[in-house]
Amino acid sequence: MRRTRGAIALAVLLPLASCGNDPVAPSGGAGGTAPASAAAPCFTDVTAALGLDFVHETGASGQRHFVETNGSGAAWLDVDGDRRLDLFLVQGAALPGFTATRPLHDTLFLARDGRFVDVTPDAMRGESAHGMAAAAADYDNDGDSDLYVTNYGKNVLWRNDGGTFTDVTEAAGVADGDRYHSSCAWADFDGDGDLDLYVVGYVDYRVGDGKVCGDAARGPEWTSYCHPDMYQGIDDTLLRNDGDGTFTDVTATSGLAGKKGKGLGVAVADYDDDGDLDVFVANDADVNFLWRNDGGLRFTDVASTLGVDFNGEGRTQSCMGAAFADVDGDADLDLFTVNLSNEYNTLWLQDGGFFRDRSFASGLAAPSMAWVGFGTLFADFDGDGDLDVVVANGHVLDNAEKLLPGTTWRQPAHLYWNDGKGRFTLAGAESAGSYFGERHVGRGVAAADYDDDGDLDLLFTHNGEAARLLRNDRGNQPAWIGFELVGRRSPRQPLGAELLVRVGGRTLRRMVRSGESYLSSHDPRVLVGLGDLTGPVEVELRWPSGTRQTLHELQSRRYHRIEEAP
């Protein structure tokens, strides 16, 4: 069933009951629940309760193929137009020396009757490449969400035909060659009303290249995955949506060609407030890119000029996940990357158009030093109006304990509370939830209000382990407001659109996420915690087309569907 365009510009979708200690009226999504008290942990693991059964397979056989270690991601999307978020999880594949004991393919779960049901055999031919990222978006503007999946090898574009998917990769021209890909992001970079595609390339690597690292003379248990310095980087790819179901590779004319940066993470936002969408690429043991959009699908790398190519110590870092957000409430966008152990996670605050490393002052650096970060994103998990941050941690070496005494392969995820001024405190498991006291090989993080109760839940992917879904039981206790945006001049799914939510004398800057985290994509709606702010809510919308639109006197504790003004 296709979702059809609404005829009205503003519609209330999901009115919810008051929070506090009263039960939330379930909205029909999977797993509606009563909120916990403020003293209770924020997140509850509901993976088994909701029937979500997915175990990632690395394909490892002890030969240390480099592709085994980076994991894979996930994507939230509404597949069948029932206004419930479904979930797509990316799988690995058998590599030389490994014998699979079960079919290995990407998996699609639909939300049905309060649970998640595997519908892959009915909805799509399960893809069996060694998968990396998934990005959901309505690239053909037909009202349903499609999927782009990056792989070690050729990528795949799945067109949604109303609840089932067709592989249109070759016809669309988006396979991007037989390469080692990582993250990707949809966005309307040229402002023509459809979504283009940025694909991050990692390194020039081939399975079976003969490179062995570590100390093989001491035995196979002393070998290790090689450092990315052992390989050359490869170009990222920019694919222009031609509006007819096909794409044109414009990498050569865009300014991107020849950079070869060993990219892992990507985040898209209008960091300079000039009305078009820019791209940050987090590179692994190499300088980062910040591609300023100059219009006409031309980009200039300004990372060095603005101070985000290196960290504040003038060093490259092994950057994985990345996110833009206004973390200190000054209405401009800041930037965050998570990195290898002993490198510290880096927060750049934007100040006067430049970015300054404030990682240690923010409280985000010191707790990260012992861990290897991958997925990350900013979101208001406790609903107080400030953006908190979550990080999935897990080492890249499966024998880290042997090779690097003092560290571990499996590591705890981190949740940090924001004090509203860009200073963060690491939450313990008693505050964050029991999952944050466990250890996993963390990779992707994908956020969504899957149960439609007014707070963001978290899906973690793990390398060689089961995925885990955490339900947020605290974030909807304060007031909140949510938005589903529908483009007209902009893409129907306006990724990168921004909202300035004004209430109680504060302005909260939020955006429709594009890229961000690591290998994953998120709920396309925007959810804003209002904390103890009171008074009428006004929202100014900045659409990718350049349209500006302001709505007044909006009600809190519900989602609003807003169509772009003609």
Side-chain angles (χ1 to χ4, degrees):
M1 165 177 164
R2 291 184 182 274
R3 182 187 303 167
T4 58
R5 176 172 295 180
I8 57 176
L10 173 66
V12 176
L13 292 183
L14 299 170
L16 297 182
S18 172
C19 292
N21 290 320
D22 296 326
V24 172
S27 62
T33 183
S37 70
C42 188
F43 289 98
T44 300
D45 188 336
V46 294
T47 312
L50 298 187
L52 188 61
D53 183 13
F54 177 87
V55 179
H56 176 261
E57 180 58 69
T58 67
S61 61
Q63 298 183 35
R64 308 279 191 251
H65 299 299
F66 187 58
V67 70
E68 295 166 6
T69 192
N70 281 340
S72 60
W76 290 100
L77 71 163
D78 180 6
V79 170
D80 51 2
D82 65 354
R83 297 196 179 280
R84 299 179 186 179
L85 287 173
D86 310 302
L87 181 61
F88 181 82
L89 286 156
V90 182
Q91 182 59 278
L95 296 170
F98 176 86
T99 300
T101 58
R102 59 190 172 96
L104 298 179
H105 55 73
D106 302 339
T107 306
L108 179 65
F109 292 90
L110 255 58
R112 289 179 176 170
D113 301 321
R115 293 174 62 84
F116 287 98
V117 178
D118 182 352
V119 298
T120 312
D122 298 326
M124 57 172 45
R125 172 181 52 81
E127 219 240 313
S128 58
H130 201 289
M132 294 293 292
D138 184 6
Y139 82 91
D140 51 3
N141 285 332
D142 68 348
D144 50 29
S145 290
D146 313 292
L147 275 165
Y148 188 71
V149 182
T150 68
N151 294 309
Y152 171 70
K154 294 181 180 180
N155 301 331
V156 177
L157 177 60
W158 293 102
R159 186 187 66 208
N160 189 341
D161 294 324
T164 61
F165 289 83
T166 301
D167 181 347
V168 296
T169 309
E170 296 303 324
V174 294
D176 197 36
D178 187 12
R179 310 192 312 149
Y180 194 167
H181 305 91
S182 56
S183 295
C184 57
W186 294 98
D188 184 6
F189 293 114
D190 53 2
D192 66 351
D194 50 35
L195 293 169
D196 311 301
L197 186 56
Y198 191 103
V199 183
V200 180
Y202 187 38
V203 295
D204 186 8
Y205 165 76
R206 293 292 181 271
V207 168
D209 64 1
K211 293 180 181 178
V212 177
C213 296
D215 191 357
R218 299 179 66 181
E221 70 274 18
W222 291 92
T223 62
S224 70
Y225 298 106
C226 291
H227 192 276
D229 284 349
M230 296 289 291
Y231 304 98
Q232 294 294 317
I234 58 177
D235 279 343
D236 298 343
T237 302
L238 182 61
L239 298 166
R240 183 190 68 214
N241 190 335
D242 295 328
D244 59 359
T246 66
F247 291 75
T248 298
D249 187 336
V250 295
T251 308
T253 58
S254 68
L256 274 62
K259 293 292 286 190
K260 303 184 186 303
K262 303 179 185 178
L264 284 175
V266 64
V268 175
D270 182 11
Y271 81 87
D272 53 1
D273 293 326
D274 66 350
D276 51 30
L277 293 170
D278 314 293
V279 184
F280 176 81
V281 179
N283 286 317
D284 188 4
D286 206 342
V287 295
N288 299 317
F289 303 149
L290 178 54
W291 292 108
R292 183 189 67 208
N293 191 337
D294 296 326
L297 288 177
R298 294 285 303 176
F299 291 82
T300 300
D301 182 11
V302 294
S304 177
T305 303
L306 300 189
V308 296
D309 52 345
F310 299 96
N311 66 13
E313 298 176 343
R315 299 180 181 181
T316 60
Q317 296 176 299
S318 298
C319 301
M320 271 71 87
F324 278 111
D326 175 17
V327 303
D328 53 1
D330 64 356
D332 57 23
L333 293 178
D334 312 301
L335 181 60
F336 184 59
T337 63
V338 293
N339 311 310
L340 198 67
S341 53
N342 298 318
E343 293 183 348
Y344 75 81
N345 293 343
T346 307
L347 176 66
W348 290 277
L349 295 182
Q350 189 173 173
D351 180 15
F354 294 89
F355 291 88
R356 307 184 189 282
D357 184 343
R358 294 292 182 263
S359 308
F360 283 94
S362 72
L364 290 172
S368 73
M369 291 292 288
W371 315 111
V372 178
F374 275 88
T376 189
L377 74 153
F378 288 101
D380 185 2
F381 296 116
D382 56 1
D384 65 353
D386 310 316
L387 293 174
D388 313 303
V389 65
V390 65
V391 181
N393 294 312
H395 213 287
V396 294
L397 302 180
D398 59 357
N399 53 354
E401 290 88 344
K402 182 177 289 290
L403 299 180
L404 301 170
T407 190
T408 60
W409 182 33
R410 293 180 172 86
Q411 301 181 352
H414 283 174
L415 177 66
Y416 297 83
W417 302 122
N418 187 350
D419 71 354
K421 298 178 181 179
R423 293 188 294 267
F424 295 83
T425 302
L426 179 62
E430 71 282 354
S431 169
S434 61
Y435 172 85
F436 292 89
E438 302 171 6
R439 295 193 175 212
H440 299 280
V441 188
R443 292 299 184 257
V445 182
D449 183 11
Y450 80 89
D451 51 3
D452 295 326
D453 67 347
D455 50 29
L456 280 176
D457 313 295
L458 290 172
L459 186 286
F460 285 85
T461 68
H462 303 124
N463 202 39
E465 296 182 43
R468 300 283 284 276
L469 178 59
L470 307 185
R471 184 188 65 213
N472 190 334
D473 290 332
R474 187 189 297 180
N476 61 9
Q477 292 185 25
W480 58 273
I481 189 168
F483 302 92
E484 178 189 3
L485 305 187
V486 181
R488 287 182 171 177
R489 293 174 55 203
S490 301
R492 183 177 175 85
Q493 189 173 342
L495 299 175
E498 294 203 6
L499 302 88
L500 299 179
V501 179
R502 300 185 177 97
V503 58
R506 286 186 64 185
T507 299
L508 307 177
R509 183 173 181 175
R510 304 291 187 262
M511 57 187 163
V512 181
R513 303 176 192 274
S514 177
E516 198 176 77
S517 187
Y518 175 73
L519 307 180
S520 302
S521 63
H522 316 278
D523 192 334
R525 300 170 298 181
V526 177
L527 187 57
V528 183
L530 301 178
D532 58 3
L533 299 172
T534 59
V537 179
E538 173 186 289
V539 59
E540 178 187 341
L541 300 161
R542 300 176 176 178
W543 299 85
S545 65
T547 299
R548 297 292 184 266
Q549 190 174 354
T550 301
L551 298 169
H552 305 273
E553 303 287 340
L554 299 180
Q555 291 184 313
S556 61
R557 298 190 186 278
R558 61 186 60 187
Y559 281 95
H560 298 267
R561 185 174 190 267
I562 302 174
E563 285 196 1
E564 183 177 12

